């Protein structure tokens, strides 16, 4: 986790959930993004702050610096990212936000893997904490971004032991602020995360396993045997 998510609202719908107290350099666009199956290796609109101004940049989902000769990494654990050698610089100066509606997770039952769609009970936007190689307005498909994950708990643990770190709207601007220290960012992770009991989930079609499928029906609940 996290390996797939949705980003189907318009950028305006996501931004409306945040405070208007900071200047934005983001073009108005009311058209829905319409992405129902966002996969690693693609470019994703990433909310970040540069020069005290909010920006939305299309950034490659995956992190593989030049010295990294394995598969690109797509997630970073919140428990170790702040201090680990590889992610510490990103935690310090590359914090960002992925705007989303929900994410997919697969639950294994023997040889069967059933996908689930996980979302906020209110149906509102989600804001995933992310880190990456700033600045994000560069053309670089190697040093992109990663989604920060946290341990699952309660019923969600039955589906997967990890989940994206979802921040409250109030915590988003503090997380991406250039004035926020790494130590303060670690506190935001603890205090600004959306509690697990605010999420809901249901089984969805296995068609979500094919990244070419992008239709809205992917998030619809299905019956399971």
């Amino acid at each position: 986790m996290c390996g797939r998510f949705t980003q189907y609202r318009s950028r305006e719908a996501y931004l409306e959930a945040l405070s208007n107290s900071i200047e934005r350099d983001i073009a108005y666009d009311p058209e829905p993004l319409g992405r129902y199956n966002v996969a690693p290796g693609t470019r994703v609109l990433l909310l970040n702050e540069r020069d005290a101004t909010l920006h939305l940049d299309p950034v490659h989902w995956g992190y593989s610096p030049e010295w990294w000769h394995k598969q690109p990494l797509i997630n970073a654990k919140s428990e170790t990212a702040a201090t680990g050698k590889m992610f510490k610089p990103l935690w310090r100066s590359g914090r960002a936000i992925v705007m989303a509606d929900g994410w997919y997770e697969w639950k294994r039952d023997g040889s069967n893997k059933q996908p689930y769609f996980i979302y906020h009970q209110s149906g509102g936007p989600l804001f995933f904490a992310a880190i990456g190689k700033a600045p994000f307005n560069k053309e670089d498909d190697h040093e992109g971004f990663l989604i920060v994950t946290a341990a699952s708990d309660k019923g969600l643990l039955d589906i997967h032991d990890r989940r994206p770190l979802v921040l409250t709207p109030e915590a988003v601007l503090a997380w991406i602020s250039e004035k926020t220290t790494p130590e303060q960012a670690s506190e935001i992770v603890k205090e600004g995360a959306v509690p697990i009991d605010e999420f809901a989930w249901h089984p969805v079609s296995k068609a979500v396993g094919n990244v070419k499928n992008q239709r809205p029906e992917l998030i619809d609940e299905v019956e399971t045997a």
Side-chain angles (χ1 to χ4, degrees):
M1 194 310 106
C2 168
R4 302 280 182 83
F5 64 91
T6 66
Q7 197 179 63
Y8 55 74
R9 288 177 167 86
S10 70
R11 62 178 66 185
E12 301 305 318
Y14 296 114
L15 293 172
E16 283 177 2
L18 302 177
S19 169
N20 291 315
S21 62
I22 184 172
E23 185 177 347
R24 302 174 181 177
D25 186 9
I26 299 173
Y28 176 78
D29 188 349
E31 289 299 314
L33 297 176
R35 301 186 68 182
Y36 287 85
N37 197 1
V38 181
T42 62
R43 285 185 171 264
V44 178
L45 283 178
L46 201 64
L47 186 67
N48 61 97
E49 181 180 319
R50 295 194 301 275
D51 300 323
T53 303
L54 288 182
H55 296 265
L56 267 180
D57 298 298
V59 183
H60 179 83
W61 182 12
Y63 182 70
S64 55
E66 292 184 0
W67 53 268
W68 183 258
H69 302 298
K70 302 177 183 179
Q71 283 287 104
L73 300 173
I74 62 171
N75 297 151
K77 291 184 176 182
S78 60
E79 298 90 337
T80 57
T83 56
K85 180 180 179 181
M86 188 170 189
F87 299 141
K88 188 175 181 179
L90 309 184
W91 188 274
R92 181 178 62 248
S93 58
R95 296 184 306 275
I97 287 290
V98 173
M99 307 179 302
D101 320 282
W103 73 96
Y104 298 103
E105 202 55 77
W106 280 256
K107 180 181 179 180
R108 183 179 294 277
D109 183 10
S111 60
N112 180 55
K113 292 178 67 177
Q114 174 61 51
Y116 284 77
F117 183 60
I118 305 167
Y119 51 96
H120 196 273
Q121 292 178 3
S122 70
L126 302 181
F127 300 98
F128 299 164
I131 55 175
K133 186 63 178 295
F136 294 112
N137 59 340
K138 62 186 184 304
E139 294 290 332
D140 189 340
D141 283 350
H142 294 287
E143 296 187 340
F145 78 91
L146 311 98
I147 291 175
V148 179
T149 67
S152 290
D153 195 2
K154 301 181 180 179
L156 192 54
L157 184 59
D158 294 335
I159 299 177
H160 202 279
D161 62 348
R162 303 294 300 180
R163 63 186 177 92
L165 175 64
V166 181
L167 297 178
T168 65
E170 295 76 19
V172 166
L173 297 183
W175 168 258
I176 63 178
S177 173
E178 295 169 305
K179 297 180 179 179
T180 298
T181 66
E183 294 74 21
Q184 290 171 330
S186 295
E187 290 302 311
I188 292 171
V189 165
K190 299 175 184 177
E191 300 174 2
V194 176
I196 289 179
D197 56 13
E198 292 188 18
F199 295 105
W201 51 87
H202 59 246
V204 294
S205 169
K206 293 182 180 179
V208 72
N210 186 337
V211 298
K212 295 181 179 180
N213 292 330
Q214 291 288 341
R215 59 184 187 274
E217 293 79 11
L218 290 179
I219 66 173
D220 290 347
E221 184 171 4
V222 300
E223 293 185 4
T224 58

